[in-house]
Amino acid sequence: MTLICLSIASLLQSCETKENKNPEKDTNEETKISQIEIDINKAIEGAYKVWYVKKGDNPDFSKYENYYTSNAIFQDFKKDTVIVSLLSDGVEEFKDAFKAGHLFSFDEREIGSETTYFGNVAHRISYHIYHTNTNDSITKRGVNSIQLVKIKGKWKTQSILRQIESDKYQFPKKYDSFR
């Protein structure tokens, strides 16, 4: 008979056998989403939504400070070099691209992720897709390594390191439906 110990607290109190476990009650802590993960997911979702612009609209960054720290940085691979800039500078470049007519719609969405956290620090590997000037097809796919910090009870993005898919760096096969 194999014993399943559900947590340190339940280990100290008791253990259940597989045969006695109530199948309607999920007590496996690893399968539950913690409030921390829910909060991180909301922070990431909001951070991506800030950049969403539908055709005919202008970029609206009024909620930017809700999801990014004031000194958030953006890092991007260009050839074999990492370019580092303040994310706020990227916001201005993004707005300018709309004003100049180079962009008229933009949608970046997360399609998969892996998150780890400890205390006030979290790390998210975020697989995402871009729709640039079209909603009919994906213009590119990328991976963001996002570092978040919890400040005054709220998770915010502190840094993003991006790698765009290329012939050299292919997406995992499980995301092939997002092409």
Side-chain angles (χ1 to χ4, degrees):
M1 187 178 314
T2 306
L3 293 178
I4 301 173
C5 296
L6 304 174
S7 68
I8 293 175
S10 62
L11 176 62
L12 295 174
Q13 295 172 355
S14 68
C15 291
E16 296 179 8
T17 64
K18 282 185 180 180
E19 292 79 11
N20 295 334
K21 187 174 177 185
N22 181 351
E24 294 176 17
K25 182 180 171 188
D26 181 12
T27 56
N28 183 349
E29 295 297 321
E30 290 181 19
T31 62
K32 291 182 182 179
I33 297 177
S34 71
Q35 187 61 49
I36 293 171
E37 291 169 295
I38 291 168
D39 293 345
I40 290 170
N41 287 343
K42 286 179 184 177
I44 293 292
E45 182 181 338
Y48 276 118
K49 280 185 179 180
V50 164
W51 297 89
Y52 173 77
V53 182
K54 69 180 183 179
K55 189 174 182 178
D57 286 351
N58 289 315
D60 176 13
F61 284 94
S62 61
K63 296 181 181 178
Y64 176 83
E65 292 176 358
N66 292 338
Y67 302 104
Y68 297 93
T69 64
S70 60
N71 58 352
I73 61 170
F74 179 73
Q75 304 156 89
D76 194 16
F77 280 97
K78 299 286 184 187
K79 300 183 182 177
D80 284 332
T81 303
V82 177
I83 307 299
V84 179
S85 60
L86 287 174
L87 195 54
S88 57
D89 291 339
V91 167
E92 294 308 314
E93 289 175 17
F94 190 73
K95 288 178 184 178
D96 290 346
F98 274 87
K99 285 179 189 171
H102 301 298
L103 283 175
F104 50 85
S105 69
F106 186 81
D107 188 11
E108 181 180 13
R109 295 183 189 176
E110 183 174 82
I111 58 172
S113 66
E114 301 163 21
T115 302
T116 57
Y117 57 92
F118 179 80
N120 294 319
V121 177
H123 179 246
R124 173 86 150 226
I125 295 292
S126 176
Y127 299 93
H128 61 280
I129 56 174
Y130 294 89
H131 293 92
T132 306
N133 295 335
T134 180
N135 286 332
D136 297 333
S137 62
I138 295 168
T139 51
K140 58 184 164 180
R141 303 187 304 178
V143 176
N144 282 337
S145 171
I146 303 171
Q147 290 70 49
L148 298 103
V149 292
K150 190 173 184 183
I151 299 173
K152 297 181 182 176
K154 187 166 177 138
W155 288 100
K156 294 185 176 194
T157 296
Q158 170 55 38
S159 68
I160 301 170
L161 174 61
R162 178 177 71 180
Q163 176 74 61
I164 297 298
E165 181 183 35
S166 66
D167 291 337
K168 186 175 179 181
Y169 301 107
Q170 292 292 308
F171 250 47
K173 296 278 186 212
K174 68 181 177 180
Y175 298 115
D176 278 352
S177 62
F178 295 95
R179 284 203 172 269

